[in-house]
Amino acid sequence: MKPRVRFAPSPTGFLHIGGARTALFNWLYARHTGGTFVLRIEDTDTARNTQAAVDVILDGLRWLGLNWDEGPLTSDATGASKGEFGPYFQSQRKENYRRRVEALLSRGLAYESEGAIKFKMTRDPILIPDLVVGDVERKLTDREEIDPDFVIVRSDGEPVFHLVNVIDDLEMNITHVIRGEDHLSNTAKHIALFKAFGVEPPKYAHIPLILNPDGTKMSKRDQGALMTAYMDGGYLPEAVVNYLCLLSWSPKDNREKIPLADVVEKFDLPQILRANAKFDHDKLLWLQGEYARELSSDRFYELCVHALAKSGIDTNQFPVDYVKAALDTCKGKIRLFTELSAYAGFYFRENVEYNSDGAKKDFIPENKPRLQKLRDAFAALEDFVAANLETTLKTVAKELEVKAGVLVHPARLACTGNTAGPSLYHLLEVLGKDRVL
RNA sequence: GACCCUAUGGUCUAGCGGUUAGGACACUGCCCUUUCACGGCGGUAGCUCGGGUUCGAUUCCCGAUAGGGUCGCCA
């Protein structure tokens, strides 16, 4: 039987990077085994659920390229879905829960208590066979010794997570539960519930958590925790996915940058590491640079135009060839697309704002006649192309008996306002003779 | 407090009884480039501690320590 796995987020907050990694590992396992990846929305906390959060889940998974075989097609709980095991929103599955609770009640496996319904939990230690951690024997804690039973239906009639999670996994024929290690202790409850329903529990794989750089648990409030930070932050999905693959998993062949297809081929549950991993933003940025550098020009161009538009620069107001030539000088230079407007915005702005540190260093009295001479030499050029500009600048430098850098820096600053940027000669060519002079 | 998981440089990791402990990010020196970036060649830095087992432990076992998780009418 082909594995059926699921990602079952609750839309009580925006999708975070840890959730995305859990989704990724489920997706990888499904793709590796030829199984099915199910997306289920656990919206039982009516007070905290938002449709906006569902949107972010769907958009985030799509952005990462983690397509699901079954699950909702829209963020509307009553909207369309695909798959034979729907609905895929728990808010639409209440009848199932009611029936199952009824069964437990009638068999004396659950009972009412202060308006709520509690499950009769065994007092014996429960063995949790886990594909990544190994066999775990979970004993009761001291508080559980006092009362091991737990609520499965709240006094307001709403079923709780432990119950609905198990019922849905059971009814959706989920074979492997791949989830964060924060669920490991709770799995004893889930196994007991499966047994109460007379069903063999699925196989479990509890994956390590992603921690903040300081080792504390990453929560929604932490820097870089939200998926939207990457989606809106100028990142490439392939870089984010690649980086996520490297947290608690490794191809074991010293590769860092690895095509997703290769990960799909090599990925398996037993090879997942058992220790929590701290999120290393620098390494993500490095991967981002690696992927950004080898983007096709079309995609690079498209992403640049989009990023510039977001920062208020409308490239449509410029000739297509000009825009392309300008962006070509940035290829391989920038990592994040959000850097672009600062890096290359001068191509698209009327006035140049001079970097003050640069101005202090380069706009000094003795540079004025030098720049004047350089300008005159440029003005005399017929073919205003990079190669000619370079030889001209170097010739002028020689005549002035100064190093090329003495001209390069003030020229760059004068034309772009920046102290760093694309190749000077190429950017001058793109800007064109008139504007440069 | 109890229960559970974990432990290789600052970070992510390779290693699965005998290795000069390998790679990557970060940091750093030099080269390339008279910007920045890329690239090339170097460098600093690691097996948490204590007991066993063994001829021999980073590797196996136990303990300690540390970190993380869980014990909710949140998920």
Side-chain angles (χ1 to χ4, degrees):
Chain A
M1 185 172 144
K2 290 286 190 189
R4 288 175 58 80
V5 298
R6 50 45 167 200
F7 176 53
S10 77
T12 53
F14 290 154
L15 179 64
H16 61 102
I17 198 80
R21 205 270 299 251
T22 301
L24 171 64
F25 278 24
N26 275 280
W27 182 90
L28 283 170
Y29 188 64
R31 295 298 169 260
H32 174 75
T33 58
T36 303
F37 177 51
V38 179
L39 174 62
R40 181 175 77 223
I41 306 296
E42 306 218 333
D43 57 344
T44 54
D45 187 349
T46 48
R48 294 195 297 150
N49 293 326
T50 66
Q51 189 167 354
V54 181
D55 275 315
V56 173
I57 290 166
L58 302 187
D59 291 346
L61 294 181
R62 286 183 184 126
W63 186 76
L64 290 166
L66 306 181
N67 55 316
W68 51 99
D69 305 305
E70 295 179 20
L73 294 172
T74 75
S75 60
D76 176 6
T78 59
S81 66
K82 56 179 171 180
E84 302 296 309
F85 295 83
Y88 293 92
F89 281 81
Q90 291 188 324
S91 58
Q92 309 303 310
R93 303 176 62 84
K94 293 190 175 166
E95 181 52 28
N96 297 316
Y97 309 140
R98 198 198 54 72
R99 215 177 47 239
R100 292 281 182 176
V101 169
E102 211 53 56
L104 290 180
L105 248 15
S106 68
R107 290 164 52 212
L109 297 170
Y111 59 94
E112 202 183 317
S113 169
E114 295 175 23
I117 297 172
K118 293 179 85 172
F119 176 70
K120 269 192 189 162
M121 182 65 180
T122 173
R123 302 182 74 92
D124 297 328
I126 285 195
L127 182 75
I128 305 168
D130 189 284
L131 263 15
V132 348
V133 184
D135 285 354
V136 175
E137 192 187 60
R138 168 62 152 82
K139 301 187 197 76
L140 294 181
T141 67
D142 53 358
R143 286 170 210 206
E144 290 167 336
E145 286 287 357
I146 297 165
D147 178 15
D149 302 346
F150 58 93
V151 170
I152 52 175
V153 180
R154 298 185 230 160
S155 52
D156 65 3
E158 292 294 322
V160 308
F161 162 73
H162 299 301
L163 202 239
V164 296
N165 187 268
V166 163
I167 292 177
D168 288 342
D169 283 346
L170 186 168
E171 295 188 345
M172 292 182 176
N173 286 347
I174 298 302
T175 61
H176 295 72
V177 171
I178 304 169
R179 57 177 19 164
E181 195 204 87
D182 48 345
H183 286 290
L184 183 54
S185 293
N186 286 151
T187 300
K189 293 186 172 85
H190 300 177
I191 288 176
L193 241 13
F194 272 103
K195 288 185 173 161
F197 290 124
V199 174
E200 263 311 296
K203 301 210 183 314
Y204 290 96
H206 287 92
I207 64 181
L209 304 180
I210 298 179
L211 269 24
N212 286 314
D214 68 359
T216 56
K217 188 188 184 184
M218 192 179 258
S219 65
K220 303 174 204 297
R221 304 186 68 88
D222 290 310
Q223 185 65 238
L226 262 27
M227 270 306 297
T228 47
Y230 304 95
M231 297 161 72
D232 303 335
Y235 288 81
L236 256 13
E238 52 268 49
V240 175
V241 165
N242 192 145
Y243 178 67
L244 254 20
C245 287
L246 263 21
L247 255 24
S248 307
W249 182 84
S250 148
K252 302 191 191 296
D253 56 12
N254 281 347
R255 276 188 296 174
E256 310 288 330
K257 180 165 173 292
I258 172 169
L260 228 210
D262 290 9
V263 180
V264 166
E265 190 184 320
K266 303 193 78 158
F267 187 86
D268 206 351
L269 271 9
Q271 282 103 38
I272 296 175
L273 273 347
R274 289 121 65 112
N276 295 341
K278 297 186 183 79
F279 194 85
D280 182 1
H281 189 258
D282 283 335
K283 188 147 184 179
L284 202 211
L285 248 189
W286 169 73
L287 273 169
Q288 164 74 16
E290 295 294 303
Y291 280 98
R293 202 174 317 119
E294 59 182 45
L295 245 24
S296 72
S297 350
D298 282 354
R299 181 135 178 262
F300 180 75
Y301 178 73
E302 184 190 327
L303 289 166
C304 284
V305 166
H306 184 248
L308 288 171
K310 268 174 61 175
S311 57
I313 295 172
D314 180 11
T315 48
N316 287 323
Q317 302 191 355
F318 300 84
V320 173
D321 286 346
Y322 174 77
V323 176
K324 286 197 170 172
L327 294 177
D328 273 346
T329 65
C330 305
K331 184 89 185 288
K333 299 281 204 163
I334 57 155
R335 287 174 158 177
L336 261 17
F337 288 90
T338 42
E339 297 166 10
L340 195 62
S341 71
Y343 190 81
F346 66 87
Y347 281 123
F348 311 104
R349 279 193 275 264
E350 277 295 318
N351 304 312
V352 177
E353 271 181 44
Y354 300 108
N355 173 291
S356 57
D357 287 344
K360 225 174 284 172
K361 211 178 295 168
D362 293 323
F363 288 171
I364 49 177
E366 52 265 51
N367 276 345
K368 197 165 183 184
R370 290 170 178 159
L371 272 184
Q372 186 58 245
K373 190 172 166 67
L374 180 63
R375 195 200 111 105
D376 294 342
F378 281 171
L381 269 179
E382 277 185 33
D383 273 342
F384 206 75
V385 295
N388 292 347
L389 289 160
E390 180 167 359
T391 49
T392 302
L393 183 138
K394 285 181 174 167
T395 306
V396 172
K398 205 164 197 177
E399 288 168 10
L400 289 168
E401 295 181 325
V402 295
K403 287 195 269 184
V406 172
L407 295 177
V408 167
H409 295 284
R412 168 188 300 286
L413 186 66
C415 295
T416 72
N418 297 333
T419 54
S423 156
L424 176 67
Y425 311 113
H426 292 89
L427 76 84
L428 293 177
E429 176 183 333
V430 172
L431 247 16
K433 192 169 179 177
D434 291 349
R435 285 187 69 200
V436 169
L437 295 182

